[in-house]
């Protein structure tokens, strides 16, 4: 049947180079009864992940049909990102979505993705995925926009002084600029 | 916290999984502190998220405690903390109780929060709402939908979408706002303060609004048409996902009513050549799914688009295109021949999935001319792919052997080479063996060569299962070959060299050679061999040898009995046998003193079994869309075959079980007990419109002296019951040859029930066509909806209902049969009758006509002639069957040409029986 539903992504997985979980999120509509699918219980999920990893690791395939799912993946250094959708889904849309997640994480962390970075900035990875996909519905596919919506760790516990210091810096710079202009003019 | 402990905190965060109880305790402590430290809290939440993501879960009471302590963090205004808080709330909502308590805090944020966290707040709000509280969020959602910020608007739309199952009426109230959102192009405001990234101008909210509208109007054809008209014009939809959604909407519309297609052709051809590949892809999917209704030029431009996509550097694009082409190749292989150069270059693609798809597609588009070159390519390719892919390719080759029986030499040598090559697991070897078995079964010319190669193979085969199967085949086919002694030698080698399982299989096979007709010297030698085996140390082997010897000895005095055992000419229907045996064990009426009665189980001769298997195989070829794809995934879900053929498939595939079911029903009826067993049952024929109040299917059963018409009547009405349902059959005026005997009415037919009414006739001697004009007479009763029983005292009123005519045709006297070389048999048959038909005003395709003929003649289509390529206007259908009662062979060649005026048919019917031949040919189409 025609797939008019907005629920197009079934899961996002990040596995390490041994096929173990780093980040996993299986999606199902929040207000509908759970169906018996890959997301139904943790044991099944883990089995699915292990066998999927075996099929994909070092295969350089990046897209395949696996157990009635369309799977797109990308291996970046020591982690693999997976995006799982239904067979009817538009491959290019899923491709764009996976790309968006990868680039947005890269943008926010300002490095290439690796296992350590993901572990250390787990909150940011969670937020990126959450801003890209909301329970299976693709929210956004532009990495810049996604990155712009993700907040970083608060820099200081007390955030009162920021305004002041910014102003202070600005005025200091403005002062320096005017002084320099003066000097230059004098020099001329 | 001192610097020292702080460092430890960071380290543990970077490493493996944090301890569940520690996280739980830390969370409770930290979140309840005042004032809270946003950084520490965010780190803690991050660890909590990690735990949950790894599949750890908390018991409900702990989860609830966590949920409440997290909701305390709402008092802190920091945005980056707030975002993660919402994330945690979303996760915990599923496992904790009383989540409604957080509603008011979240709502406050939706109203007054900063633009950054508003979308997060909105999306969390859906999770805490339930049926009873959803309405309270209406105003919030409504104003958020029309918000200038696209993220807020999107969040509200997506959340409304989630809420649909529990609060559709609430969501419907702001449908107008959604319409606005689709056409209103929102751009991100660059305030500069909140972010360092430049936001692309994204119109995602269009997609979400359109998706929501589609869902709300999914049953209203007119409203859907309106949506398409409104948004397809101009340049309203900027977002590619929204455009895709629109394509899907059109798809849905066209599936509902394919009369609309001409109207949408310009739009579709516009999309198929649009600049966005995702939209192109989606349109191609649409066109291929409705291929039978599409104009040719649109179909061709779709193929061209896909062809272009094959050359794109992105893997996903190529994959999508080749997957779709593979699907199309099932129904219209000749159309995609133009893509062959691209497909051939994809054989060496680094993505093995793509190369396998490419190969299988090429194999399907292959003609008898390029088969051999293709097989050469595959021979090179097959060694460096994994077993999974090999199995798929072999399956493809297997279907090829059915399609091009003339190419058996190439296919055979390829199969044998791959079989003998050292690498490959059991599954792979088994699939090759299966393919070879098929070849031997259906292409008799290949038999001897294939058997010889198999003999070579079993000399060093490491899989006992395959060995046993091959031995069985040798036993079955070997004695009829020109030099059976060769096979005896190979067989006996197994007895000497292998384990007991193989030995016993070899003994059984050996015994069959004893009765070889062609070489009388073999018999005594086999006896000597078997006598030698009688001293084997394995029980089973010894037993088999002894029995075989005994039977061979009796065969000298009573050849028929022995032959029955050694070379049975028929097999039981295994499904029926299984169910009967299970029933016998279950019921156990008298402690197993009465023996199991096998006489009711249908028996099939070898040719019949072949016919059944071939039929299944042919159906599989049609249905196997994803089946032959990169995965051995189940066939469900992704079938691309046009729906109409799918439906007919389901009907026919259940054919055997269906006729068994009918036989059981009829056997249970007393009146029919004297009739004996059913000789032949026809397929059910629909006698009403599918949407009629009462739908009726007619089935014709032939008995030795009787014909029974079975009418399956379904009452589709909700509150009306029927009583005394009788089908009145009036035969055509001149037929006094056919005499009605009795009718078995249906006593009561309640709503949504199916019941069968039977009418019995004396079987006419002739095989001419008889029409039965049918009317159903019944008494209608209104039912009390509460009890589903008729109102008391309601006598109802008499009514009648006319249904279509049911014809008893010559075809009902035919059973489908398989024959290896059709043309030879055709020449052999003595009587011939040729008839010509002109069908006017026929809108149906040739494929429909072929399907109809296969059903009405009840013959087996041979040489793959049941598939009409969608391009041509002419087709030749070859049918074969045997007449029941007399076993006269029937062969039909139907040539058909379609033109604008209609379809012309030329039927050549050849048969062993002259009058039957005339009847069949002249009354093929009514």
């Amino acid at each position: 049947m025609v797939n008019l539903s907005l629920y197009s992504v079934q899961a996002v997985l990040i596995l390490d180079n041994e096929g173990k979980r780093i980040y996993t999120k299986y999606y199902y509509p929040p207000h509908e009864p759970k169906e018996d699918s890959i997301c139904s219980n943790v044991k099944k999920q883990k089995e699915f992940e292990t066998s999927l990893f075996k099929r994909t690791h070092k295969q350089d395939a990046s897209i395949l049909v696996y157990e009635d799912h369309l799977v797109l993946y990308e291996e970046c250094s020591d982690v693999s990102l997976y995006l799982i959708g239904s067979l009817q889904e538009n491959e290019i849309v899923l491709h764009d979505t996976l790309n968006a997640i990868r680039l947005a994480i890269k943008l926010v962390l300002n490095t290439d993705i690796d296992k350590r970075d993901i572990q250390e900035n787990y909150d940011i990875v969670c937020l990126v995925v959450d801003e890209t996909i909301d329970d299976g519905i693709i929210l956004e596919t532009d990495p810049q926009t996604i990155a712009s919506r993700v907040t970083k760790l608060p820099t200081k516990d007390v955030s009162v002084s920021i305004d002041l210091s910014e102003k202070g810096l600005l005025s200091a710079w403005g002062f320096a600029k005017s002084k320099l202009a003066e000097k230059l003019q004098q020099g001329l | 916290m001192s610097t020292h402990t702080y460092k430890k905190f960071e380290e543990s965060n970077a490493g493996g999984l944090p301890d569940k109880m520690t996280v739980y305790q830390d969370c409770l402590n930290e979140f309840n502190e005042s004032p809270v430290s946003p950084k520490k809290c965010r780190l803690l939440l991050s660890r909590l998220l990690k735990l949950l993501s790894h599949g750890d879960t908390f018991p409900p009471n702990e989860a609830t405690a966590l949920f409440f302590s997290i909701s305390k963090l709402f008092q802190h205004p920091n945005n980056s903390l707030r975002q993660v808080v919402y994330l945690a709330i979303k996760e915990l909502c599923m496992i904790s109780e009383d989540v409604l308590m957080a509603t008011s805090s979240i709502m406050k944020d939706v109203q007054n929060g900063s633009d950054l966290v508003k979308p997060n707040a909105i999306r969390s709000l859906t999770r805490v709402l339930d049926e009873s509280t959803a309405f309270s969020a209406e105003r919030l959602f409504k104003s958020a939908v029309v918000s200038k910020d696209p993220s807020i608007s999107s969040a509200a739309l997506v959340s409304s979408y989630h809420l649909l199952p529990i609060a559709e009426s609430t969501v419907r109230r702001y449908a107008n706002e959604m319409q606005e959102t689709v056409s209103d192009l929102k751009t991100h405001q660059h305030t500069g303060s909140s972010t360092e990234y430049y936001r692309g101008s994204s119109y995602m909210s269009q997609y979400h609004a359109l998706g929501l509208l589609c869902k709300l109007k999914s049953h209203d054809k007119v409203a859907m048409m309106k949506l398409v008209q409104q948004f397809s014009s101009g340049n309203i939809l900027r977002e590619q996902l929204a455009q895709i959604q629109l394509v899907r909407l059109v798809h849905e519309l066209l599936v509902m009513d394919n009369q609309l297609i001409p109207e949408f052709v310009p739009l579709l051809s516009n999309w198929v050549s649009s600049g966005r590949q995702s939209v192109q892809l989606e349109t191609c999917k649409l066109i291929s799914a409705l291929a039978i209704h599409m104009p040719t030029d649109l179909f061709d431009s779709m193929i061209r688009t896909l062809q272009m996509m094959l050359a794109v550097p992105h893997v996903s694009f190529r994959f999508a295109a080749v997957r779709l082409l593979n699907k199309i190749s099932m129904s219209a292989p000749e159309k995609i021949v133009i893509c062959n150069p691209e497909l051939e270059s994809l054989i060496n693609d680094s993505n093995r999935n793509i190369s396998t798809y490419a190969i299988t597609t090429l194999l399907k588009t292959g003609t008898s001319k390029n088969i051999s070159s293709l097989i050469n390519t595959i021979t090179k390719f097959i060694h460096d792919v994994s077993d999974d892919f090999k199995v798929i390719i072999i399956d493809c080759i297997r279907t090829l052997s059915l399609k091009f029986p003339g190419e058996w030499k190439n296919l055979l040598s390829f199969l044998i080479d791959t079989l003998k090559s050292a690498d490959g697991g059991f599954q792979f070897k088994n699939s090759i063996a299966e393919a070879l078995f098929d070849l031997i079964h259906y292409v008799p010319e290949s038999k001897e060569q294939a058997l010889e190669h198999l003999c070579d193979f079993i000399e060093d085969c490491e899989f006992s299962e395959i060995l046993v199967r091959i031995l069985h085949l040798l036993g079955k086919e070997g004695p009829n070959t020109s030099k059976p002694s060769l096979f005896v030698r190979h067989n006996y080698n197994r007895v000497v060299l292998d384990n007991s399982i193989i030995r016993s299989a070899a003994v059984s096979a050996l015994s069959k050679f004893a009765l070889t007709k062609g070489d009388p010297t073999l018999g005594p030698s086999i006896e000597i061999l078997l006598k030698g085996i009688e001293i084997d140390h394995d029980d089973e082997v010894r037993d088999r040898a002894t029995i075989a010897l005994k039977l061979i000895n009796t065969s000298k005095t009573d050849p028929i009995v022995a032959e029955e055992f050694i070379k049975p000419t028929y097999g039981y229907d295994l499904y029926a046998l299984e169910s009967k045996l299970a029933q016998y064990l279950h019921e156990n009426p008298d402690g197993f003193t009465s023996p199991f009665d096998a006489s009711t189980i249908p028996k099939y001769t070898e040719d019949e079994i072949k016919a059944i298997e071939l039929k299944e195989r042919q159906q599989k070829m049609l249905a196997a869309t994803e089946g032959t794809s990169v995965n051995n995934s189940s066939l469900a879900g992704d079938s691309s075959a046009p729906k109409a053929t799918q439906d007919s498939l389901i009907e026919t595939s259940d054919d055997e079980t269906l006729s068994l079911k009918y036989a059981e029903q009829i056997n249970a009826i007393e009146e029919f007990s004297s009739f004996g067993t059913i000789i032949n049952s026809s397929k059910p024929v629909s006698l009403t419109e599918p949407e009629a109040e009462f739908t009726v299917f007619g089935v014709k059963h032939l008995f030795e002296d009787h014909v029974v018409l079975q009418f399956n009547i379904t009452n589709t009405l909700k509150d009306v019951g029927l009583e005394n349902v009788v089908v009145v059959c009036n035969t055509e005026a001149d037929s006094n040859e056919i005499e009605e005997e009795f009718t078995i009415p249906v006593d009561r037919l309640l709503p949504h029930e199916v019941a069968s009414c039977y009418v019995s006739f004396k079987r006419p001697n002739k095989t001419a066509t008889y029409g039965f004009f049918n009317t159903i007479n019944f008494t209608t009763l209104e039912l009390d909806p509460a009890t589903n029983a008729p109102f008391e005292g309601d006598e109802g009123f008499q009514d009648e209902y006319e249904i279509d005519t049911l014809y008893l045709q010559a075809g009902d006297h035919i059973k489908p049969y398989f024959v290896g070389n059709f043309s030879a048999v055709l020449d052999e048959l003595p009587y011939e009758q040729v008839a010509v038909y002109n069908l006017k005003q026929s809108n149906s395709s040739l494929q429909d006509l072929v399907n109809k003929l296969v059903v009405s003649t009840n013959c087996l289509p041979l040489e793959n002639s049941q598939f009409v390529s969608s391009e041509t206007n002419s087709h030749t259908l070859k049918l074969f069957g045997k007449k029941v009662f007399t076993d006269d062979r029937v062969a039909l060649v139907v040539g058909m040409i379609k033109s604008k005026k209609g379809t012309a048919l030329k039927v050549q019917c050849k048969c062993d029986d002259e009058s039957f031949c005339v009847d069949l040919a002249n009354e093929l189409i009514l």
Side-chain angles (χ1 to χ4, degrees):
Chain A
M1 213 56 283
V2 189
N3 175 23
L4 267 179
S5 153
L6 286 184
Y7 295 112
S8 40
V9 180
Q10 293 172 334
V12 174
L13 315 173
I14 302 176
L15 305 180
D16 70 5
N17 54 3
E18 287 161 6
K20 296 219 177 66
R21 278 179 175 202
I22 301 177
Y23 174 89
T24 55
K25 186 91 185 102
Y26 289 83
Y27 297 110
Y28 47 89
H31 286 294
E32 272 169 38
K34 273 196 205 182
E35 283 163 36
D36 187 49
S37 58
I38 37 164
C39 55
S40 56
N41 67 49
V42 178
K43 202 177 149 231
K44 263 194 206 159
Q45 289 172 6
K46 286 198 170 155
E47 276 168 17
F48 176 80
E49 284 155 27
T50 336
S51 56
L52 178 63
F53 181 77
K54 266 191 211 142
R55 263 298 284 279
T56 55
H57 187 52
K58 300 256 189 261
Q59 288 292 317
D60 189 27
S62 76
I63 178 165
L64 71 158
V65 172
Y66 184 71
E67 287 186 0
D68 279 343
H69 304 284
L70 199 57
V71 178
L72 283 90
Y73 70 99
E74 206 148 344
E75 290 181 295
C76 332
S77 66
D78 56 354
V79 294
S80 328
L81 268 73
Y82 294 84
L83 189 76
I84 292 155
S86 81
L87 282 177
Q88 288 90 349
E89 207 38 64
N90 191 311
E91 287 90 343
I92 300 175
V93 168
L94 293 183
H95 169 85
D96 289 349
T97 314
L98 182 65
N99 234 7
I101 294 178
R102 189 175 59 91
L103 290 176
I105 295 178
K106 225 170 130 177
L107 267 177
V108 181
L109 298 186
N110 210 8
T111 61
D112 271 335
I113 300 169
D114 66 27
K115 186 177 170 183
R116 199 185 148 78
D117 280 327
I118 293 177
Q119 298 276 27
E120 279 175 6
N121 301 290
Y122 205 77
D123 46 346
I124 287 182
V125 175
C126 290
L127 282 174
V128 166
V129 177
D130 182 62
E131 292 294 342
T132 319
I133 300 159
D134 184 70
D135 273 339
I137 301 182
I138 299 170
L139 272 181
E140 184 54 74
T141 52
D142 176 43
Q144 296 267 7
T145 315
I146 297 167
S148 76
R149 296 219 13 92
V150 173
T151 53
K152 290 188 174 172
L153 203 61
T155 36
K156 275 188 185 170
D157 278 0
V158 190
S159 57
V160 197
S161 61
I162 291 177
D163 274 358
L164 269 177
S165 71
E166 244 174 25
K167 248 183 212 166
L169 271 173
L170 268 176
S171 63
W173 197 61
F175 179 73
K177 205 162 69 173
S178 66
K179 278 285 166 202
L180 189 70
E182 244 171 58
K183 288 275 173 201
L184 280 171
Q185 269 172 352
Q186 277 171 3
L188 283 168
Chain B
M1 201 182 272
S2 73
T3 46
H4 182 68
T5 51
Y6 200 79
K7 206 170 169 195
K8 236 167 82 186
F9 190 101
E10 293 264 68
E11 266 170 10
S12 67
N13 196 16
L17 213 53
D19 178 57
K20 190 163 127 185
M21 265 349 272
T22 327
V23 172
Y24 176 69
Q25 284 302 337
D26 284 354
C27 281
L28 288 192
N29 292 337
E30 202 64 50
F31 301 160
N32 284 326
E33 232 163 70
S34 180
V36 289
S37 143
K39 184 171 182 176
K40 251 194 272 172
C41 288
R42 181 158 154 157
L43 282 172
L44 262 174
L45 284 172
S46 145
R47 293 205 283 164
L48 181 67
L49 287 173
K50 191 184 279 181
L51 269 180
L52 292 171
S53 166
H54 275 78
D56 269 325
T57 140
F58 292 90
N61 58 338
E62 286 179 21
T64 314
L66 267 175
F67 188 81
F68 277 103
S69 60
I70 287 171
S71 62
K72 292 224 168 69
L73 295 175
F74 274 114
Q75 51 178 295
H76 200 281
N78 186 301
N79 278 340
S80 33
L81 176 61
R82 192 61 63 91
Q83 240 185 350
V84 181
V85 165
Y86 281 125
L87 208 53
I89 282 182
K90 266 170 83 175
E91 294 291 331
L92 285 171
C93 271
M94 310 180 206
I95 46 174
S96 59
E97 295 151 354
D98 299 330
V99 291
L100 274 173
M101 302 305 284
T103 315
S104 66
S105 313
I106 299 176
M107 280 190 174
K108 219 167 86 193
D109 256 15
V110 175
Q111 280 170 305
N112 306 322
S114 75
D115 278 358
L116 186 71
V117 295
K118 252 189 194 176
N120 303 73
I122 293 169
R123 288 192 282 127
S124 309
L125 186 57
T126 3
R127 308 304 193 289
V128 296
L129 292 175
D130 63 15
E131 283 100 330
S132 55
T133 51
F135 70 93
S136 61
E138 184 199 330
R139 202 177 48 78
L140 288 178
F141 278 148
K142 197 190 223 163
S143 61
V145 165
V146 293
S147 157
K148 281 283 156 229
D149 187 320
S151 306
I152 297 177
S153 177
S154 277
L157 290 163
V158 169
S159 306
S160 310
Y161 194 87
H162 289 316
L163 275 181
L164 273 181
I166 58 165
E168 195 178 320
S169 56
T170 310
V171 177
R172 267 186 199 285
R173 269 182 228 137
Y174 46 95
N176 284 337
E177 280 78 2
M178 294 170 207
Q179 296 261 13
E180 259 169 59
T181 313
V182 184
S183 34
D184 182 22
L185 298 175
K186 293 172 184 177
T187 40
H188 286 281
Q189 304 288 311
H190 293 287
T191 47
S193 64
S194 63
T195 166
E196 64 218 71
Y197 302 104
Y198 177 78
R199 292 172 166 198
S201 39
S202 141
Y203 306 109
M204 280 305 275
S205 46
Q206 284 193 327
Y207 165 58
H208 300 130
L210 188 60
L212 192 51
L213 283 170
C214 288
K215 182 94 182 179
L216 285 177
K217 311 207 159 157
S218 59
H219 300 294
D220 185 352
K221 208 168 95 183
V222 180
M224 280 160 72
M225 281 290 282
K226 241 170 132 183
L227 276 183
V228 176
Q229 273 154 10
Q230 200 177 345
F231 299 126
S232 60
S233 57
N235 195 11
I236 296 177
L237 294 184
R238 301 282 178 82
E239 174 55 44
Q240 58 162 349
L241 281 163
Q243 286 179 0
I244 290 170
Q245 189 69 20
L246 198 63
V247 178
R248 287 181 180 162
L249 184 61
V250 171
H251 193 165
E252 173 83 22
L253 258 174
L254 296 185
V255 167
M256 279 161 95
D257 182 1
N258 49 41
Q259 302 292 321
L260 292 172
I261 289 180
E263 208 175 309
F264 283 105
V265 165
L267 192 59
L268 290 176
S269 59
N270 194 8
W271 277 335
V272 89
S273 52
S274 80
R276 286 186 157 139
Q277 273 162 324
S278 50
V279 181
Q280 286 182 339
L281 177 63
E282 198 63 40
T283 318
C284 291
K285 284 186 176 181
L286 186 164
I287 296 173
S288 71
L290 294 166
I292 39 169
H293 306 292
M294 286 292 166
T296 349
D297 50 337
L298 192 58
F299 197 87
D300 291 342
S301 54
M302 166 192 80
I303 300 287
R304 273 197 301 280
T305 308
L306 288 176
Q307 191 181 6
M308 242 134 61
M309 230 179 263
L310 286 179
V312 170
H314 271 301
V315 186
S316 319
F317 293 58
R318 288 201 306 269
F319 180 86
V322 80
R323 185 162 87 115
L324 199 54
L325 280 173
N326 186 44
K327 240 191 222 176
I328 298 167
S329 71
M330 312 267 174
S331 52
E334 71 288 343
K335 291 266 190 187
I336 51 177
V337 173
I338 51 162
C339 300
N340 277 5
E342 279 83 1
L343 287 171
E344 269 160 33
S345 65
L346 285 183
I347 291 178
N348 296 318
D349 198 285
S350 66
N351 183 333
R352 283 294 162 213
N353 305 296
I354 293 180
S355 48
T356 313
Y357 269 129
I359 285 261
T360 48
T361 314
L362 277 173
L363 284 177
K364 273 183 213 105
T365 62
T367 56
S368 46
K369 281 172 216 138
N370 66 359
I371 282 286
S372 56
S373 72
L374 263 178
I375 286 179
N376 273 338
T377 331
I378 300 172
T379 319
K380 278 177 238 149
F381 164 84
I382 198 158
H383 295 295
D384 37 79
V385 293
S386 70
D387 265 20
D388 298 344
F389 294 134
K390 283 181 187 166
V391 172
I392 295 162
I393 292 168
I394 294 295
D395 277 347
C396 227
I397 300 272
R398 191 170 151 189
T399 48
L400 266 190
S401 65
L402 293 184
K403 215 166 140 191
F404 301 110
E407 290 300 310
W408 64 269
K409 272 191 187 146
N410 278 322
L411 295 170
L412 180 67
S413 65
F414 169 74
L415 287 173
I416 292 292
D417 283 350
T418 37
L419 186 62
K420 283 183 186 162
S421 72
D423 53 343
F426 169 71
Q427 246 199 335
F428 173 50
K429 297 280 177 191
N430 195 31
S431 73
I432 300 178
E434 295 256 349
L436 278 170
F437 289 177
D438 265 17
L439 202 63
I440 291 167
H441 266 201
Y442 299 113
V443 190
E445 300 96 314
S446 70
K447 192 190 282 178
E448 295 215 4
Q449 268 196 40
L451 285 180
E452 276 173 39
H453 284 300
L454 281 176
C455 283
D456 280 350
F457 171 65
I458 55 174
E459 291 296 330
D460 47 24
C461 169
E462 49 186 316
F463 303 107
S464 304
E465 289 92 335
I466 299 176
L467 240 169
V468 169
R469 293 185 66 184
I470 292 176
L471 283 173
H472 176 75
L473 185 79
L474 283 182
K476 216 170 89 188
E477 304 285 354
N480 305 325
T481 53
S482 56
K483 36 183 176 178
S485 54
L486 174 85
F487 302 118
V488 172
R489 185 166 56 80
H490 282 285
N491 243 331
Y492 189 67
N493 280 352
R494 295 301 103 215
V495 179
V496 181
L497 299 169
D498 263 308
N499 64 39
S500 61
I501 296 170
I502 296 169
R503 283 209 303 277
S504 36
V507 170
S508 300
L510 265 184
S511 63
K512 294 186 181 170
F513 283 91
L515 298 181
T516 310
K517 302 246 163 30
D519 190 353
T521 55
L522 265 183
S525 347
I526 299 269
E527 258 182 272
I528 296 166
L529 290 179
L530 287 175
K531 275 189 187 130
I533 301 167
E534 265 191 312
I535 51 164
D536 193 281
H537 52 79
D538 186 82
D539 289 350
E540 178 69 24
V541 181
R542 258 190 340 259
D543 287 356
R544 287 197 189 198
T546 318
I547 292 173
L549 273 175
K550 182 113 190 158
L551 285 171
I552 289 167
N553 282 328
T554 43
S555 78
K556 284 166 192 157
T557 51
D558 187 3
I560 298 160
V561 172
E563 207 156 314
E564 191 90 321
F565 278 101
I566 297 181
K567 284 165 79 179
T569 50
Y570 60 84
Y572 286 109
D573 181 327
L574 291 180
Y575 294 109
L577 182 64
E578 188 187 352
S579 72
K580 276 276 150 88
L581 277 171
Q583 203 184 347
Y584 176 71
L585 286 179
H586 185 70
E587 281 175 2
N588 182 18
D590 41 14
F592 298 118
T593 44
S594 64
F596 176 65
D597 176 21
S599 62
T600 55
I601 297 160
K603 290 172 194 166
Y604 298 118
T605 63
E606 219 161 273
D607 278 345
E608 278 176 310
I609 292 175
K610 275 187 188 172
I612 293 166
E613 277 176 3
L614 185 64
K615 224 163 148 190
E616 277 171 11
R617 204 63 48 74
Q618 286 168 343
Q619 278 158 8
K620 238 193 249 162
M621 268 157 78
L622 243 191
T625 45
E626 280 303 298
T628 48
S629 70
V630 173
N631 216 301
N632 306 332
S633 61
S634 71
L635 302 180
D638 201 356
S639 45
S640 73
K643 209 173 163 278
T645 45
Q646 283 273 313
D647 286 348
S648 67
L649 258 183
I650 291 160
E651 262 168 44
T652 43
S653 64
D654 291 339
D655 208 34
E656 293 306 321
T657 42
L658 206 63
S659 59
L660 276 181
K661 207 182 90 192
Y662 289 143
E664 231 162 69
Q665 283 173 2
I666 286 184
N667 282 338
I669 296 170
E670 218 176 292
E671 280 88 340
F672 296 128
S673 54
S674 61
F675 283 16
T677 53
I678 297 181
I679 313 271
N680 207 2
S681 290
S682 77
K683 295 180 181 111
V685 186
S686 173
L687 298 175
T688 51
E689 299 287 315
E691 58 270 9
E693 288 175 357
F694 312 108
T695 54
V696 183
F697 283 91
V699 188
K700 295 156 275 182
H701 303 286
L702 282 190
F703 289 87
E704 189 72 43
D705 302 313
H706 307 269
V707 176
V708 173
L709 305 183
Q710 178 181 353
F711 296 93
N712 294 334
I713 307 168
T714 316
N715 179 6
T716 60
L717 293 178
K718 247 186 214 156
D719 41 15
V720 173
L722 306 180
E723 261 188 355
N724 292 325
V725 187
V726 183
V727 178
V728 180
C729 293
N730 293 312
T731 42
E732 280 155 323
D734 63 321
S735 47
N736 37 13
E737 310 136 20
I738 187 156
E739 192 185 317
E740 187 174 334
E741 291 172 330
F742 55 84
T743 306
I744 301 174
V746 179
D747 293 339
R748 174 168 289 185
L749 186 61
L750 291 173
H752 304 298
E753 269 186 3
V754 188
S756 303
C757 173
Y758 301 91
V759 185
S760 163
F761 293 91
K762 272 227 166 83
R763 191 170 76 83
N765 290 323
K766 291 192 197 160
T767 49
T769 306
Y770 298 93
F772 297 91
F773 306 109
N774 310 309
T775 326
I776 313 180
N777 287 349
F778 50 84
T779 313
T780 49
L781 293 172
E782 271 198 44
L783 297 183
D784 184 354
T787 57
N788 217 9
F791 290 108
E792 229 161 282
D794 181 8
E795 285 177 2
F797 57 93
Q798 278 285 327
D799 204 350
E800 59 173 42
Y801 186 78
E802 204 167 300
I803 54 177
D804 294 350
T805 313
L806 183 66
Y807 292 98
L808 183 67
Q809 280 171 289
D812 295 320
H813 298 268
I814 298 176
K815 268 195 171 206
Y817 248 75
F818 173 78
V819 70
N821 42 357
F822 182 74
S823 49
V825 175
L826 193 69
D827 292 338
E828 245 171 58
L829 290 166
Y831 298 103
E832 179 171 3
Q833 179 75 25
V834 178
V836 176
Y837 296 90
N838 268 312
L839 305 180
K840 280 177 192 143
Q841 31 82 28
S842 75
N843 299 320
S844 56
S845 65
L846 288 179
Q847 182 70 62
D848 291 341
L849 195 60
V850 167
N851 292 345
K852 227 193 251 166
L853 281 176
V854 171
V855 173
S856 76
T857 58
N858 209 15
C859 286
L860 185 73
L862 289 172
E863 297 180 11
N864 231 34
S865 63
Q866 77 276 39
F867 300 110
V868 183
S869 74
S870 52
E871 213 170 39
T872 58
N873 282 323
S874 61
H875 184 70
T876 307
L877 175 67
K878 296 171 183 172
L879 296 165
F880 189 76
K882 274 189 180 172
K883 198 183 160 206
V884 289
F885 303 121
T886 55
D887 267 359
D888 292 328
R889 291 168 297 172
V890 183
L892 281 165
V893 179
V894 186
M896 39 188 107
I897 298 173
K898 192 177 173 166
S899 66
K900 271 178 195 154
K901 285 181 209 150
T903 313
L905 265 84
K906 185 190 167 207
V907 184
Q908 184 197 12
C909 175
K910 295 198 84 175
C911 184
D912 284 328
D913 177 344
E914 189 175 5
S915 69
F916 187 67
C917 186
V918 175
D919 286 338
L920 184 63
N922 290 340
E923 278 149 9
L924 191 62
I925 292 169
L926 300 164

